[in-house]
Protein backbone atom coordinates (compact mmCIF):
# COMPACT_ATOMS: atom_id res chain seq x y z
CA UNK A 1 0.00 0.00 0.00
CA UNK A 2 2.83 2.35 0.89
CA UNK A 3 4.57 1.62 -2.40
CA UNK A 4 1.37 2.32 -4.31
CA UNK A 5 0.92 5.66 -2.55
CA UNK A 6 4.49 6.65 -3.34
CA UNK A 7 3.99 5.64 -6.97
CA UNK A 8 0.78 7.68 -7.20
CA UNK A 9 2.52 10.66 -5.61
CA UNK A 10 5.38 10.42 -8.09
CA UNK A 11 2.97 10.33 -11.01
CA UNK A 12 1.14 13.36 -9.68
CA UNK A 13 4.45 15.15 -9.19
CA UNK A 14 5.48 14.31 -12.75
CA UNK A 15 2.17 15.61 -14.07
CA UNK A 16 2.58 18.81 -12.09
CA UNK A 17 6.16 19.22 -13.34
CA UNK A 18 5.08 18.64 -16.96
CA UNK A 19 2.26 21.16 -16.57
CA UNK A 20 4.61 23.77 -15.10
CA UNK A 21 7.13 23.21 -17.89
CA UNK A 22 4.37 23.55 -20.49
CA UNK A 23 3.21 26.83 -18.95
CA UNK A 24 6.78 28.14 -18.81
CA UNK A 25 7.27 27.26 -22.49
CA UNK A 26 3.98 28.95 -23.42
CA UNK A 27 4.92 32.05 -21.46
CA UNK A 28 8.36 32.16 -23.08
CA UNK A 29 6.74 31.89 -26.52
CA UNK A 30 4.29 34.69 -25.67
CA UNK A 31 7.13 36.93 -24.45
CA UNK A 32 9.19 36.21 -27.55
CA UNK A 33 6.22 37.07 -29.76
CA UNK A 34 5.56 40.26 -27.77
CA UNK A 35 9.21 41.31 -28.05
CA UNK A 36 9.20 40.73 -31.80
CA UNK A 37 5.96 42.68 -32.17
CA UNK A 38 7.34 45.58 -30.11
CA UNK A 39 10.56 45.62 -32.14
CA UNK A 40 8.61 45.59 -35.39
CA UNK A 41 6.38 48.46 -34.28
CA UNK A 42 9.43 50.46 -33.25
CA UNK A 43 10.96 49.83 -36.68
CA UNK A 44 7.70 50.87 -38.35
CA UNK A 45 7.54 54.16 -36.45
CA UNK A 46 11.22 54.78 -37.16
CA UNK A 47 10.58 54.20 -40.86
CA UNK A 48 7.78 56.77 -40.89
CA UNK A 49 10.06 59.34 -39.27
CA UNK A 50 13.01 58.54 -41.54
CA UNK A 51 10.95 58.70 -44.71
CA UNK A 52 9.38 61.97 -43.67
CA UNK A 53 12.80 63.47 -42.97
CA UNK A 54 14.35 62.09 -46.16
CA UNK A 55 11.69 63.28 -48.59
CA UNK A 56 11.37 66.70 -46.92
CA UNK A 57 14.77 67.56 -48.41
CA UNK A 58 14.01 66.21 -51.88
CA UNK A 59 12.41 68.14 -54.72
CA UNK A 60 12.85 65.61 -57.53
CA UNK A 61 10.01 63.02 -57.58
CA UNK A 62 12.36 60.33 -58.93
CA UNK A 63 14.61 60.76 -55.89
CA UNK A 64 11.59 60.57 -53.60
CA UNK A 65 10.35 57.35 -55.22
CA UNK A 66 13.75 55.67 -55.12
CA UNK A 67 14.43 56.63 -51.49
CA UNK A 68 10.97 55.49 -50.38
CA UNK A 69 11.09 52.08 -52.09
CA UNK A 70 14.54 51.31 -50.69
CA UNK A 71 13.76 52.50 -47.16
CA UNK A 72 10.47 50.59 -46.87
CA UNK A 73 12.08 47.41 -48.19
CA UNK A 74 15.10 47.64 -45.88
CA UNK A 75 13.17 48.44 -42.72
CA UNK A 76 10.41 45.86 -43.19
CA UNK A 77 12.34 43.20 -45.09
CA UNK A 78 9.85 43.04 -47.94
CA UNK A 79 10.70 41.22 -51.17
CA UNK A 80 9.54 43.99 -53.48
CA UNK A 81 8.40 47.60 -53.09
CA UNK A 82 7.19 49.45 -56.16
CA UNK A 83 5.75 52.92 -56.67
CA UNK A 84 3.41 53.58 -59.58
CA UNK A 85 1.89 56.76 -60.99
CA UNK A 86 -1.28 56.98 -63.07
CA UNK A 87 -0.64 58.36 -66.56
CA UNK A 88 -2.14 61.59 -67.92
CA UNK A 89 -4.98 59.82 -69.72
CA UNK A 90 -5.75 57.70 -66.65
CA UNK A 91 -5.51 54.49 -68.66
CA UNK A 92 -2.40 52.95 -67.08
CA UNK A 93 -0.46 52.82 -63.84
CA UNK A 94 3.22 53.18 -64.69
CA UNK A 95 6.08 51.91 -62.50
CA UNK A 96 8.37 54.74 -61.34
CA UNK A 97 10.67 53.07 -58.79
CA UNK A 98 11.37 49.63 -57.32
CA UNK A 99 13.91 48.10 -54.95
CA UNK A 100 14.07 44.51 -56.20
CA UNK A 101 16.11 43.02 -59.04
CA UNK A 102 12.88 42.02 -60.77
CA UNK A 103 11.56 45.53 -60.26
CA UNK A 104 14.65 46.97 -61.98
CA UNK A 105 13.94 44.79 -65.03
CA UNK A 106 10.37 46.04 -65.03
CA UNK A 107 11.58 49.64 -64.92
CA UNK A 108 13.95 49.09 -67.84
CA UNK A 109 11.13 47.93 -70.09
CA UNK A 110 8.69 50.63 -68.93
CA UNK A 111 6.38 48.32 -66.99
CA UNK A 112 2.77 49.47 -66.77
CA UNK A 113 -0.63 47.95 -65.98
CA UNK A 114 -4.03 48.87 -67.35
CA UNK A 115 -6.34 50.45 -64.80
CA UNK A 116 -8.24 47.66 -63.06
CA UNK A 117 -5.67 44.96 -63.93
CA UNK A 118 -4.09 43.00 -61.09
CA UNK A 119 -3.77 44.07 -57.49
CA UNK A 120 -2.12 47.40 -58.42
CA UNK A 121 -4.56 48.25 -61.21
CA UNK A 122 -7.50 47.39 -58.95
CA UNK A 123 -6.26 49.71 -56.18
CA UNK A 124 -5.74 52.52 -58.69
CA UNK A 125 -9.16 52.19 -60.27
CA UNK A 126 -11.18 51.54 -57.11
CA UNK A 127 -9.18 54.06 -55.03
CA UNK A 128 -9.13 51.46 -52.28
CA UNK A 129 -6.36 49.28 -50.80
CA UNK A 130 -6.18 45.77 -52.26
CA UNK A 131 -4.73 42.88 -50.26
CA UNK A 132 -3.87 39.45 -51.67
CA UNK A 133 -2.87 37.22 -48.75
CA UNK A 134 -2.33 34.21 -51.01
CA UNK A 135 -1.64 35.19 -54.62
CA UNK A 136 -2.08 31.60 -55.78
CA UNK A 137 -5.71 31.64 -54.66
CA UNK A 138 -6.49 35.27 -55.55
CA UNK A 139 -8.21 35.65 -58.92
CA UNK A 140 -7.36 39.36 -59.10
CA UNK A 141 -3.63 38.71 -58.78
CA UNK A 142 -1.66 39.37 -61.97
CA UNK A 143 1.17 36.86 -62.25
CA UNK A 144 4.53 38.53 -62.90
CA UNK A 145 7.49 36.40 -64.06
CA UNK A 146 9.92 39.08 -62.84
CA UNK A 147 8.71 38.51 -59.26
CA UNK A 148 8.32 34.70 -59.08
CA UNK A 149 8.69 34.45 -55.29
CA UNK A 150 5.73 36.68 -54.40
CA UNK A 151 3.24 34.95 -52.12
CA UNK A 152 1.27 37.91 -50.78
CA UNK A 153 0.82 41.48 -51.93
CA UNK A 154 -0.73 44.73 -50.78
CA UNK A 155 -1.41 47.77 -52.95
CA UNK A 156 -2.36 51.12 -51.43
CA UNK A 157 -3.64 53.98 -53.61
CA UNK A 158 -1.90 57.34 -53.35
CA UNK A 159 -4.91 59.60 -52.85
CA UNK A 160 -4.90 63.35 -53.35
CA UNK A 161 -8.34 64.47 -52.29
CA UNK A 162 -10.78 62.11 -54.02
CA UNK A 163 -8.43 61.32 -56.87
CA UNK A 164 -5.86 58.53 -57.05
CA UNK A 165 -2.52 59.66 -58.47
CA UNK A 166 -0.59 56.41 -58.00
CA UNK A 167 -0.12 53.22 -56.01
CA UNK A 168 2.33 51.94 -53.38
CA UNK A 169 2.83 48.22 -54.09
CA UNK A 170 4.46 45.91 -51.51
CA UNK A 171 5.09 42.19 -52.00
CA UNK A 172 6.30 39.45 -49.65
CA UNK A 173 7.66 35.93 -50.11
CA UNK A 174 5.38 34.73 -47.28
CA UNK A 175 1.66 33.99 -47.53
CA UNK A 176 -0.46 36.14 -45.22
CA UNK A 177 2.53 38.34 -44.46
CA UNK A 178 0.71 41.60 -43.78
CA UNK A 179 -0.68 42.46 -40.35
CA UNK A 180 -3.06 45.23 -39.32
CA UNK A 181 -0.05 47.19 -38.06
CA UNK A 182 1.63 46.83 -41.47
CA UNK A 183 -1.56 48.02 -43.13
CA UNK A 184 -1.78 51.13 -40.95
CA UNK A 185 1.90 52.01 -41.24
CA UNK A 186 2.02 51.48 -45.01
CA UNK A 187 -1.09 53.63 -45.29
CA UNK A 188 0.73 56.41 -43.42
CA UNK A 189 3.74 56.03 -45.71
CA UNK A 190 1.45 56.19 -48.75
CA UNK A 191 0.01 59.46 -47.46
CA UNK A 192 3.53 60.84 -46.97
CA UNK A 193 4.41 59.89 -50.54
CA UNK A 194 1.29 61.57 -51.89
CA UNK A 195 2.10 64.80 -50.05
CA UNK A 196 5.72 64.73 -51.27
CA UNK A 197 4.63 64.09 -54.88
CA UNK A 198 2.14 66.94 -54.85
CA UNK A 199 4.61 69.32 -53.21
CA UNK A 200 7.18 68.47 -55.89
CA UNK A 201 4.59 69.01 -58.61
CA UNK A 202 3.51 72.38 -57.21
CA UNK A 203 7.13 73.47 -56.91
CA UNK A 204 7.78 72.45 -60.52
CA UNK A 205 4.70 74.37 -61.70
CA UNK A 206 5.76 77.44 -59.69
CA UNK A 207 9.23 77.36 -61.21
CA UNK A 208 7.78 76.95 -64.69
CA UNK A 209 5.44 79.91 -64.15
CA UNK A 210 8.35 82.01 -62.88
CA UNK A 211 10.39 81.21 -66.00
CA UNK A 212 7.47 82.16 -68.23
CA UNK A 213 7.03 85.49 -66.45
CA UNK A 214 10.76 86.18 -66.77
CA UNK A 215 10.69 85.36 -70.49
CA UNK A 216 7.74 87.69 -71.09
CA UNK A 217 9.39 90.43 -69.05
CA UNK A 218 12.67 90.07 -70.94
CA UNK A 219 10.86 90.25 -74.29
CA UNK A 220 9.00 93.36 -73.17
CA UNK A 221 12.16 95.05 -71.93
Amino acid sequence: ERVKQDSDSNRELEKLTDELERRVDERATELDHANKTTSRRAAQLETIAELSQAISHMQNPNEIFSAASQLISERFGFYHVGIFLIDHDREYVVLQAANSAGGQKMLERGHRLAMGTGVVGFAAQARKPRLALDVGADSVFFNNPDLPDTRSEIALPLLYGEQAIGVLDVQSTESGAFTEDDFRVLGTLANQLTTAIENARLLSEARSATRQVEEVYNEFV
Side-chain angles (χ1 to χ4, degrees), residues 81-102:
V81 177
I83 298 172
F84 292 76
L85 288 183
I86 298 174
D87 69 355
H88 182 267
D89 296 326
R90 303 193 67 78
E91 294 180 356
Y92 295 93
V93 277
V94 184
L95 185 64
Q96 305 294 317
N99 71 294
S100 64

Side-chain angles (χ1 to χ4, degrees), residues 53-221:
Q53 183 176 13
I55 63 181
S56 67
H57 300 296
M58 297 177 182
Q59 299 174 352
N60 185 333
N62 290 329
E63 292 180 354
I64 293 171
F65 300 149
S66 179
S69 63
Q70 290 293 337
L71 185 61
I72 294 171
S73 174
E74 290 171 2
R75 291 292 181 271
F76 292 91
F78 290 129
Y79 171 51
H80 170 82
V81 177
I83 298 172
F84 292 76
L85 288 183
I86 298 174
D87 69 355
H88 182 267
D89 296 326
R90 303 193 67 78
E91 294 180 356
Y92 295 93
V93 277
V94 184
L95 185 64
Q96 305 294 317
N99 71 294
S100 64
Q104 294 303 310
K105 293 179 182 177
M106 294 157 63
L107 280 170
E108 289 173 5
R109 68 167 188 270
H111 179 70
R112 65 180 188 174
L113 291 167
M115 293 284 280
T117 301
V119 175
V120 170
F122 178 93
Q125 186 176 67
R127 304 193 305 277
K128 295 179 180 179
R130 181 67 170 88
L131 177 63
L133 289 176
D134 183 355
V135 296
D138 196 314
S139 61
V140 176
F141 177 69
F142 181 79
N143 187 35
N144 188 337
D146 290 313
L147 300 169
D149 296 327
T150 294
R151 294 296 174 269
S152 55
E153 179 177 8
I154 186 171
L156 299 105
L158 306 180
L159 299 176
Y160 186 69
E162 295 297 318
Q163 188 176 53
I165 63 173
V167 174
L168 171 62
D169 177 49
V170 182
Q171 302 181 24
S172 173
T173 57
E174 300 177 10
S175 296
F178 302 102
T179 65
E180 286 189 17
D181 282 340
D182 291 330
F183 186 84
R184 283 193 294 268
V185 171
L186 290 173
T188 300
L189 295 173
N191 291 337
Q192 287 184 327
L193 277 174
T194 303
T195 301
I197 291 167
E198 285 304 306
N199 286 345
R201 181 184 64 80
L202 292 172
L203 180 60
S204 176
E205 290 179 355
R207 286 175 173 171
S208 177
T210 299
R211 283 195 298 270
Q212 291 177 4
V213 169
E214 289 175 347
E215 289 172 1
V216 171
Y217 176 78
N218 290 334
E219 288 179 6
F220 177 76
V221 172

